[in-house]
Amino acid sequence: MSRITLPRTARRLTVAAAAALTAVLLTAVPAAAHVEVESDKAQALAENAELTFVAESESATAGITELRVVLPEGVAPADVTYGEGPKGWAFTANDDGYTVKGPAVKVGEDAEYSVVVRQLPDAKELAFKTLQTYSDGKIDRWIELGESSGGGHGNEAPVLELKAAAPGAKPVSPSAGKSESPSASPTPTAEETAVSPSPQAADTEKDDDGGLSAGAWTGIVAAVLVAIAAVVFVVRRRGSAQQ
């Protein structure tokens, strides 16, 4: 049985088809954007702990304009004060957390800001559910919680892991009153947002699935298979003609 050697042109076409398929698969993978939180005083019962948040951008056409955060149990809105953030952004306390917002940051640029917490609770970790809004109305919902911090689908809330409390550390007395601004407009709670997302949030959930629908994937795969089949057909015809 003789071995069929592909002509140089056919080999090039086969390599080109494989390269095209690889490029499609790589460009279709969604960016692993998320929100991160860190602190130099990430310890239970630590006082005046500064927390730094970084919201990564996953939009190529719009800038981040707002970050709405739901505080974890044990941290009251009145115990949180604003540190610094993007130019022109302002801090507003809500019933269950706070909002920082302002002019859109540069397209593709991450939004970084900091807050100071009067005292961190006696816990092992703190999750800060976050809604990230862009200038085009798109909303990324980083609100998922899991028993394990790794291996999720990609919409996990930022989590701050805490070391055990220092010896002798005790809870301070709770703050009196609220720091909510009287002029602040009402903001929906996290429960309301999770149950009845806005149209923009619903669109975001579709976008978070990778930016391509099942129909689009089917069309891409079908096109690549047709290209490969055409190459094989040409190779076989040339092989038969040479025999």
Side-chain angles (χ1 to χ4, degrees):
M1 182 176 179
S2 60
R3 181 180 178 183
I4 298 177
T5 303
L6 296 179
R8 180 177 299 178
T9 302
R11 290 200 301 269
R12 289 178 178 175
L13 290 174
T14 303
V15 171
L21 176 59
T22 302
V24 169
L25 293 177
L26 289 177
T27 55
V29 175
H34 55 283
V35 178
E36 295 181 344
V37 57
E38 61 179 19
S39 175
D40 292 336
K41 299 180 70 174
Q43 185 174 21
L45 300 181
E47 297 183 36
N48 298 319
E50 182 179 25
L51 277 57
T52 299
F53 292 82
V54 178
E56 297 183 357
S57 173
E58 63 173 10
S59 175
T61 58
I64 302 171
T65 60
E66 179 180 324
L67 295 167
R68 162 84 161 91
V69 176
V70 176
L71 291 170
E73 184 177 357
V75 181
D79 292 332
V80 179
T81 56
Y82 191 43
E84 56 183 5
K87 184 177 180 180
W89 280 36
F91 174 93
T92 302
N94 307 313
D95 290 339
D96 59 355
Y98 62 84
T99 299
V100 286
K101 63 180 180 179
V105 300
K106 186 177 179 180
V107 175
E109 186 175 293
D110 301 338
E112 179 176 346
Y113 73 94
S114 65
V115 296
V116 176
V117 180
R118 184 167 177 258
Q119 184 180 43
L120 299 178
D122 191 2
K124 293 183 178 179
E125 62 180 25
L126 303 174
F128 297 84
K129 295 182 179 181
T130 303
L131 300 182
Q132 178 176 332
T133 303
Y134 293 84
S135 56
D136 60 0
K138 177 184 175 184
I139 302 176
D140 289 340
R141 306 172 70 222
W142 309 108
I143 60 175
E144 292 184 3
L145 302 177
E147 295 181 356
S148 59
S149 57
H153 179 265
N155 278 29
E156 293 88 355
V159 174
L160 180 67
E161 296 184 356
L162 303 180
K163 296 184 294 185
K170 296 180 181 180
V172 297
S173 58
S175 299
K178 295 183 178 180
S179 58
E180 182 175 1
S181 172
S183 61
S185 58
T187 306
T189 64
E191 290 75 13
E192 292 172 340
T193 305
V195 175
S196 302
S198 64
Q200 294 92 338
D203 292 340
T204 301
E205 291 179 348
K206 295 178 182 178
D207 294 340
D208 289 342
D209 288 335
L212 291 177
S213 64
W217 273 106
T218 301
I220 291 172
V221 173
V224 173
L225 290 178
V226 168
I228 294 176
V231 171
V232 173
F233 176 75
V234 171
V235 171
R236 288 182 176 177
R237 279 193 69 177
R238 291 187 177 181
S240 299
Q242 293 175 359
Q243 291 180 354

